[in-house]
């Protein structure tokens, strides 16, 4: 099937080990196409190799030379799971470069969107994780809970996947919140909180699931730091790093940085469960203290700017966008998504697992290969 | 209705192939299957990942260069009668990836899907709504059932 997929065929084996088990690119446990090569000895994974590149679309290349507004909405199409954080970061780059102040109300609504998106991404992760685990009941329950978040996202942004809420200087008028919408959000997160605590209780007290995932696919703290892992996967190993702490947008909000100690599948799953409650906390603060005022600042002028960069905390970790503006058009665009560094962790987590746990060990790092397929490897010829 | 179509109508297997979109459409299609709210299985439509078992192929994404041949191979592997649903703006016309620069062709994108394999039903939207996917899947059913 992948005869012309030259990346995979020429990749050298790291060691000479007898059995090789390829998974993917189209595989049931992986919705997205990527390829995992497992080198197996006695059903224990000795080495793993992940190849991406099947869905390379050249997004930065397409963005190059586009008017900045158009380029911003294009970044949303990098990833359908964390689309809002991409457009937000891209808008933040432009705002940083042009020194635009954003009204406080717009800031709050952006945060509500970002946290709703984090909720939907984490719930999707948990549902997918449970499905790979083989527990379809939990998976369906989580999809049922997630539907509430999707409805809220559709209500605020107007679409279930691509919302396009942030624009330079504020937010799109469509996303303005009135009293009715605020009420709906409040009802939604109350419902969510109740259902989630219900789920968390059952999940933690289920001895079968716990024994299946405890101590499997361990990523040690030192190795996580060495592999430059980011986001919840890093926090699950015990490192309290959350870029939301450094973002000035999150200053008015009170939330905890959740960490877990073990770095195994259990810590990773629990990590996301607990982070959901923090997101709910932030949304609740935001709707309770939503400032009055306008939602867009239109008094700014386009200038030429040097390359500006910005980091934000995406649901999966550290997200980097940078570009320069020239004539109102985007130049030298570079985007780096969290999964590209987490690939190292995925390969690492597989090693030493039983072969049946390998897919789970990959999934525990929350892979998202749509946004990752932009890496360039320079090969010396 | 022959016995074959009778039984086929009760076990339609859908295979989802992702050819390089943004994942939005795929999540929504998987949502159709797994979420109790949409629950495509109540129409006796099941998700499978084995092309030899599938009846309906759902394709999302603009078909990147690396995905072109695998997509053809998967299409060939599905036994007759079969139906192909292209879901999402990317699959229908290449989406933002193909068209944003006007007429300048993109060397990464080989889509839209109907330039690679024949398409029977088209589901628009970016991303597709799960309701529309259900409607698309149901609209493709006569192709399977009325086949000789
Ligand atoms: S149609 Fe839109 S949501 Fe679907 S894959 Fe393409 S860009 Fe993503």
């Amino acid at each position: 099937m992948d005869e012309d997929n030259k990346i995979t065929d020429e990749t050298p084996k790291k060691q000479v080990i007898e059995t090789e088990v390829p998974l993917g690119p189209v595989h049931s446990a992986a919705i997205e196409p990527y390829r995992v090569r497992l080198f197996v000895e006695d059903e224990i994974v000795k080495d793993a190799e992940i190849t991406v590149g099947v869905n390379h679309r050249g997004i930065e290349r397409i963005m190059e030379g586009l008017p900045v507004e158009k380029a911003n909405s294009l970044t949303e199409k990098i990833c359908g799971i964390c689309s809002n954080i991409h457009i937000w970061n891209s808008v933040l780059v432009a705002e940083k470069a042009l020194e635009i102040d954003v009204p406080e109300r717009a800031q709050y609504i952006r945060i509500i969107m970002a946290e709703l998106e984090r909720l939907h991404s984490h719930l999707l992760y948990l549902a997918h994780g449970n499905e790979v685990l083989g527990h379809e009941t939990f998976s369906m329950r989580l999809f049922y809970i997630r539907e509430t978040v999707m409805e809220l996202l559709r209500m605020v942004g107007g679409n279930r996947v691509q919302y396009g809420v942030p624009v330079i200087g504020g937010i799109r008028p469509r996303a303005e919140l009135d009293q009715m919408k605020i009420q709906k959000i409040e009802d939604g997160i109350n419902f969510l909180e109740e259902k989630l605590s219900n789920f968390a209780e059952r999940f933690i007290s289920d001895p079968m699931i716990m024994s299946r995932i405890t101590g499997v696919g361990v990523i040690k703290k030192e190795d996580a730091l060495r592999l430059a892992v980011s986001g919840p996967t890093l926090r699950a190993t015990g490192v309290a790093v959350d870029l939301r702490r450094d973002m000035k947008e999150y200053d008015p909000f009170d939330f905890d940085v959740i960490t877990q100690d073990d770095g195994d599948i259990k810590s990773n799953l629990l990590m996301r469960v607990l982070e959901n409650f923090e997101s709910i906390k932030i949304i609740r603060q935001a709707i309770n203290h939503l400032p009055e005022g306008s939602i867009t600042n239109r008094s700014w002028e386009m200038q030429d700017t040097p390359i500006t960069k910005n980091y934000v905390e995406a649901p999966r970790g550290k997200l980097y966008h940078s570009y320069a503006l020239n004539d109102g058009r985007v130049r030298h665009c570079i985007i780096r998504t969290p999964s590209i560094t987490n690939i190292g962790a995925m390969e690492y987590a597989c090693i030493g697992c039983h072969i049946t746990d390998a897919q789970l060990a990959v999934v525990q790092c929350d892979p998202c290969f749509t946004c990752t397929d932009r890496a360039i490897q320079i090969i010396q010829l | 209705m022959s016995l074959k179509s009778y039984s086929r109508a009760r076990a339609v297997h859908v295979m989802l192939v992702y050819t390089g979109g943004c994942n939005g459409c795929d999540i929504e299609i998987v949502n159709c299957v797994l979420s109790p709210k949409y629950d495509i299985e109540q129409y006796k439509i099941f998700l499978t990942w084995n092309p030899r078992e599938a009846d309906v192929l759902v394709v999302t994404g603009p078909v990147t260069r690396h995905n072109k041949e695998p997509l053809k191979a998967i299409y060939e592997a599905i036994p007759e009668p079969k139906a192909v649903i292209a879901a999402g703006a990317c699959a229908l016309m290449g989406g933002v990836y193909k068209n944003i620069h006007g007429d300048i062709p993109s060397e990464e994108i080989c889509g839209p899907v109907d330039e690679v394999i024949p398409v029977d039903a088209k589901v628009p939207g970016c991303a597709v709504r799960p309701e529309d996917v259900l409607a698309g899947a149901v609209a493709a059913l006569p192709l399977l059932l009325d086949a000789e």
Side-chain angles (χ1 to χ4, degrees), chain A residues 94-335:
Chain A
E95 282 167 357
K96 198 167 164 185
L98 302 169
E99 291 169 2
I100 303 168
D101 287 327
V102 181
E104 220 175 324
R105 188 177 174 88
Q107 229 37 304
Y108 270 57
I109 295 175
R110 285 179 183 185
I111 298 253
I112 293 176
M113 279 311 274
E115 291 308 314
L116 280 175
E117 187 182 64
R118 197 180 309 276
L119 274 173
H120 115 77
S121 168
H122 281 1
L123 285 170
L124 181 72
Y125 165 87
L126 287 169
H128 184 45
N130 273 300
E131 198 206 343
V132 176
L133 200 61
H135 204 309
E136 269 207 17
T137 319
F138 271 166
S139 170
M140 286 196 108
R141 275 180 78 97
L142 284 160
F143 267 111
Y144 165 65
I145 301 175
R146 179 172 169 270
E147 207 51 46
T148 332
V149 189
M150 299 306 281
E151 282 309 310
L152 292 180
L153 284 168
R154 161 138 71 173
M155 184 189 73
V156 183
N159 197 354
R160 285 169 59 99
V161 172
Q162 317 277 3
Y163 333 100
V165 168
V167 291
I168 297 177
I171 56 166
R172 207 152 50 89
R174 166 72 174 76
E176 168 69 305
L177 295 180
D178 56 21
Q179 207 49 47
M180 192 192 75
K181 286 185 179 173
I182 292 175
Q183 186 59 41
K184 274 197 180 158
I185 294 181
E186 194 171 352
D187 294 347
I189 58 173
N190 285 341
F191 172 82
L192 210 64
E193 195 169 39
E194 187 199 320
K195 292 284 171 194
L196 260 177
S197 25
N198 213 328
F199 164 76
E201 227 166 80
R202 289 189 179 197
F203 186 72
I204 294 169
S205 60
D206 192 323
M208 223 160 60
I209 291 190
M210 282 299 140
S211 59
R212 167 91 160 80
I213 60 181
T214 311
V216 179
V218 181
I219 305 167
K220 289 200 210 80
K221 191 172 174 177
E222 311 80 79
D223 294 309
L225 291 171
R226 181 172 57 82
L227 295 166
V229 179
S230 72
T233 316
L234 179 60
R235 270 172 263 148
T237 65
V239 187
V241 178
D242 192 331
L243 279 185
R244 282 183 288 174
R245 280 266 188 250
D246 305 330
M247 289 166 66
K248 67 174 191 317
E249 290 82 2
Y250 277 92
D251 278 348
F253 300 98
D254 167 38
F255 63 97
D256 296 329
V257 176
I258 308 277
T259 53
Q260 296 280 319
D261 304 325
D262 302 335
D264 56 357
I265 299 176
K266 177 182 145 214
S267 315
N268 269 294
L269 288 168
L270 284 184
M271 180 74 220
R272 267 74 169 195
V273 175
L274 298 175
E275 274 205 347
N276 280 341
F277 292 107
E278 296 306 309
S279 296
I280 292 177
K281 216 157 104 185
I282 296 176
I283 297 172
R284 185 164 291 139
Q285 290 169 38
I287 52 175
N288 286 343
H289 306 277
L290 194 62
E292 294 297 322
S294 80
I295 50 165
T296 35
N297 170 8
R298 289 177 206 278
S299 54
W300 53 275
E301 265 172 28
M302 190 57 80
Q303 291 159 7
D304 289 359
T305 64
I307 295 177
T308 319
K309 58 188 179 196
N310 199 37
Y311 288 96
V312 292
E313 175 84 13
R316 283 168 183 70
K318 188 158 84 175
L319 171 67
Y320 167 87
H321 277 228
S322 80
Y323 54 76
L325 288 174
N326 182 357
D327 257 352
R329 287 173 186 269
V330 169
R331 306 279 174 210
H332 306 294
C333 170
I334 293 176
I335 297 164

Side-chain angles (χ1 to χ4, degrees), chain B:
Chain B
M1 194 188 255
S2 68
L3 181 61
K4 218 167 187 178
S5 355
Y6 179 81
S7 49
R8 200 177 275 141
R10 274 149 189 80
V12 178
H13 283 82
V14 173
M15 180 175 176
L16 171 64
V17 176
Y18 166 103
T19 63
C22 79
N23 233 349
C25 290
D26 307 79
I27 301 293
E28 292 296 77
I29 292 168
V30 172
N31 206 352
C32 267
V33 180
L34 285 176
S35 142
K37 183 170 177 192
Y38 299 104
D39 193 16
I40 206 168
E41 291 185 358
Q42 66 186 307
Y43 306 106
K44 304 271 187 283
I45 300 176
F46 304 95
L47 190 66
T48 175
W49 298 95
N50 181 359
R52 289 177 188 80
E53 191 181 86
D55 304 302
V56 180
L57 183 69
V58 180
V59 190
T60 67
V63 192
T64 55
R65 200 154 40 88
H66 279 299
N67 265 322
K68 190 175 173 190
E69 292 307 317
L71 179 63
K72 277 188 194 160
I74 289 172
Y75 177 76
E76 295 299 325
I78 297 179
E80 292 284 348
K82 55 192 165 191
V84 179
I85 303 175
C90 288
L92 295 192
M93 30 62 83
V96 286
Y97 309 115
K98 196 180 170 86
N99 299 314
I100 203 140
H101 277 311
D103 290 337
I104 308 172
S106 160
E107 63 266 44
E108 298 292 341
I109 309 291
C110 301
V113 173
D114 57 8
E115 285 180 13
V116 183
I117 55 173
V119 173
D120 300 310
K122 296 183 173 179
V123 183
C126 174
V128 291
R129 281 183 298 171
E131 297 93 324
D132 294 347
V133 180
L134 292 185
V138 173
L141 288 188
L143 278 176
L144 300 175
L145 305 184
D146 301 343
E148 283 304 305

